[in-house]
Amino acid sequence: MIVMKFGGSSVANAERIRHVASIIGAYKESRPIVVLSAMGDTTDHLLDAAEEAVRGTVDVAKIENLHYDTARELGIEVPALSDLLGELKTLLTGISMLRELTKRTRDYLVSFGERLSVRMMVAYLAKQGVQARFYDAWDAGFVSDSNFMQAELLDEVWDTIPRALSYYKDGSDDAIPIVTGFIAKDKNGTITTLGRGGSDLTATMLGAALGADEIQTWKDVDGIMTTDPRVCPKARTVSEVTYEEAQELAMFGAQVLHPRSMVPCRKVGVPVRVKNSYNIKSAGSIIVEKHTGVRPSVTAITAVKHVTLIDIVSTRMLGAAGFLAHIFNQFLKWNISIDVIATSEVSVSLTVNTKVDLSGLLQDLQRVADVNVQTGKSIVTTICDVSRSSEILAKGFSALNDAGVNVEMISQGASKVNISMIVGDSDCDTVIKTLHKAYFE
């Protein structure tokens, strides 16, 4: 048994749905369970419709046109579409009357994208002679807490998912389950969404709870790459990475599984394979607990652009206990996350998201320290074997020196698999190309 996850771009239109259906058919003998996201920009269209409803206008034309036109192009009838779209109009009418959109209502609203998507796919698979059955996630055993917009799955899903899909697991029914990603229901039966990486979490939770042989996430590249091929055309596929390396890659900009989604599969050791939906014969990249062969010194290079660098210096707290605790408490107070950090006894340099409002935080920090804020920075992260850091840094910094690039800060992760450096946005692509040439070319 395998779990296959396809994102919104994979099912964005009739042509893409046909292609995904052909992939599902090709893997039919592996007994797949399929997780789908909403079609293309459907989630954005739903949120736009909600904003219009708050202003008093109910309009679902974009959503209706996309789904009805796609069904017509696929040559299928999907009676459930009209039912769901009618339910959606009723919801938007209620929002327009109240002129209010709560988190709870927002979750109910965006759930329509995935629910429409799975019904469309099942109808098309039936036309192709492939038996399939759609499942809203709660019908497949997904139960969450009530933290709307970023709900967490409850521990009981380890029992409810195998129970809900027992007929398929034991082979008594061959209808392929097509499951909505991203959504669940709480104990009260209210729809919730699982936040960032929600569809990935749906797939990995299914695979882990059912003891699948493999979890596959399908993208438009041949797996995990040594770096972004748009920046460095000589980037190549990495055949194998560990869960820890994949988590760090995802944290620092690479389009891999969201870090939280790896928790279930890591718990039981189910491997995750990143596959290319345009090249199904390619083996892709596999994510495992430990390297099965010789561990490479450098696995991949990734980057996050447009971050803010904050330097905090306080000589008057030289030798004073609690300097770092005081600094970190201010970030906690203002609910601001730190990306990378470097410290000494009286100074701290760290990066945060540029979109965050820093005004309150900076006022608090300036009471005890001199604070310098610089925008337009990038974090370039090398995923590597940190036990060989001297070798890795010597090779990397020699290449950067030859390229005339100055690094403003360096941070070695406690995870022992990453070294991050801060450079200017204007130097970011040059740094990636230079390091990639040094390490891989």
Side-chain angles (χ1 to χ4, degrees):
M1 181 189 297
I2 62 172
V3 174
M4 310 172 76
K5 179 257 176 179
F6 297 91
S9 61
S10 294
V11 289
N13 52 44
E15 179 185 356
R16 300 299 296 134
I17 288 173
R18 286 192 192 99
H19 186 61
V20 169
S22 71
I23 296 173
I24 295 169
Y27 279 83
K28 188 167 60 173
E29 299 307 314
S30 298
R31 296 191 63 75
I33 296 174
V34 180
V35 175
L36 296 185
S37 296
M39 286 183 63
D41 296 325
T42 300
T43 301
D44 290 337
H45 293 333
L46 285 164
L47 292 172
D48 290 343
E51 290 180 12
E52 288 295 318
V54 169
R55 292 193 286 266
T57 302
V58 175
D59 182 6
V60 294
K62 286 183 179 178
I63 301 152
E64 280 187 335
N65 291 342
L66 173 62
H67 289 84
Y68 283 136
D69 289 350
T70 301
R72 191 159 41 247
E73 193 173 340
L74 291 171
I76 57 175
E77 291 187 9
V78 193
L81 290 186
S82 59
D83 295 337
L84 280 176
L85 289 167
E87 185 182 339
L88 173 61
K89 285 180 184 176
T90 301
L91 174 62
L92 289 169
T93 301
I95 293 170
S96 70
M97 294 173 69
L98 294 173
R99 301 295 175 96
E100 179 183 48
L101 181 66
T102 64
K103 288 184 176 181
R104 173 176 169 166
T105 304
R106 183 187 182 280
D107 277 5
Y108 178 20
L109 175 84
V110 298
S111 74
F112 283 91
E114 278 71 17
R115 293 157 70 194
L116 289 163
S117 180
V118 296
R119 287 156 173 80
M120 185 85 73
M121 180 60 75
V122 167
Y124 184 69
L125 286 170
K127 182 184 177 185
Q128 301 306 112
V130 177
Q131 275 189 296
R133 182 178 297 121
F134 65 79
Y135 282 80
D136 293 326
W138 45 87
D139 295 325
F142 280 79
V143 187
S144 75
D145 60 22
S146 302
N147 188 20
F148 298 107
M149 292 175 61
Q150 47 187 357
E152 294 291 343
L153 296 174
L154 301 182
D155 287 343
E156 65 190 68
V157 298
W158 290 94
D159 298 317
T160 55
I161 290 172
R163 192 159 57 241
L165 295 172
S166 60
Y167 79 95
Y168 189 69
K169 185 178 180 182
D170 65 21
S172 58
D173 193 331
D174 291 329
I176 298 170
I178 312 293
V179 184
T180 57
F182 185 56
I183 60 178
K185 274 186 177 179
D186 66 11
K187 288 279 198 178
N188 300 316
T190 305
I191 294 175
T192 60
T193 59
L194 303 177
R196 289 189 63 194
S199 290
D200 288 339
L201 180 58
T202 303
T204 57
M205 191 66 244
L206 278 167
L210 292 166
D213 299 312
E214 187 172 276
I215 299 160
Q216 299 175 349
T217 178
W218 290 77
K219 300 181 178 296
D220 57 0
V221 292
D222 278 340
I224 297 168
M225 309 295 286
T226 49
T227 196
D228 187 340
R230 294 169 297 183
V231 175
C232 187
K234 291 187 178 180
R236 59 177 187 257
T237 305
V238 180
S239 60
E240 180 184 80
V241 300
T242 65
Y243 292 121
E244 188 174 27
E245 289 170 338
Q247 284 179 318
E248 294 294 321
L249 276 167
M251 288 293 292
F252 290 102
Q255 297 297 310
V256 194
L257 290 177
H258 191 275
R260 70 195 280 253
S261 69
M262 293 185 211
V263 175
C265 51
R266 193 171 185 181
K267 183 176 180 179
V268 298
V270 177
V272 180
R273 192 177 295 275
V274 183
K275 298 269 289 176
N276 187 350
S277 60
Y278 293 98
N279 183 14
I280 68 173
K281 292 183 179 179
S282 168
S285 303
I286 193 162
I287 306 172
V288 292
E289 183 60 40
K290 294 181 179 179
H291 283 286
T292 56
V294 177
R295 181 179 182 183
S297 59
V298 177
T299 300
I301 302 162
T302 187
V304 179
K305 293 183 178 180
H306 315 310
V307 301
T308 296
L309 175 63
I310 305 176
D311 295 315
I312 306 162
V313 182
S314 181
T315 54
R316 59 185 180 272
M317 291 194 74
L318 179 64
F323 171 57
L324 288 178
H326 179 79
I327 296 301
F328 293 143
N329 280 336
Q330 304 315 308
F331 282 84
L332 176 63
K333 172 184 174 182
W334 293 99
N335 194 31
I336 295 173
S337 297
I338 297 168
D339 296 320
V340 296
I341 184 168
T343 67
S344 72
E345 191 170 9
V346 294
S347 68
V348 179
S349 295
L350 48 82
T351 62
V352 298
N353 190 318
T354 296
K355 296 178 182 179
V356 172
D357 180 7
L358 298 175
S359 53
L361 169 70
L362 295 178
Q363 286 180 7
D364 285 348
L365 291 175
Q366 285 163 351
R367 295 191 179 100
V368 297
D370 297 323
V371 182
N372 181 43
V373 178
Q374 302 175 64
T375 56
K377 304 299 178 185
S378 294
I379 306 168
V380 179
T381 298
T382 302
I383 304 301
C384 58
D385 179 359
V386 173
S387 68
R388 299 165 68 179
S389 60
S390 295
E391 169 198 338
I392 293 163
L393 288 171
K395 184 180 288 187
F397 275 94
S398 175
L400 291 173
N401 181 59
D402 291 344
V405 176
N406 286 317
V407 174
E408 300 178 37
M409 179 181 126
I410 186 168
S411 176
Q412 185 171 309
S415 66
K416 305 305 180 189
V417 299
N418 85 67
I419 298 172
S420 295
M421 56 186 71
I422 309 304
V423 298
D425 277 342
S426 59
D427 289 327
C428 183
D429 287 357
T430 299
V431 170
I432 292 171
K433 291 174 184 176
T434 301
L435 292 178
H436 194 273
K437 184 175 182 181
Y439 296 137
F440 298 105
E441 300 172 35

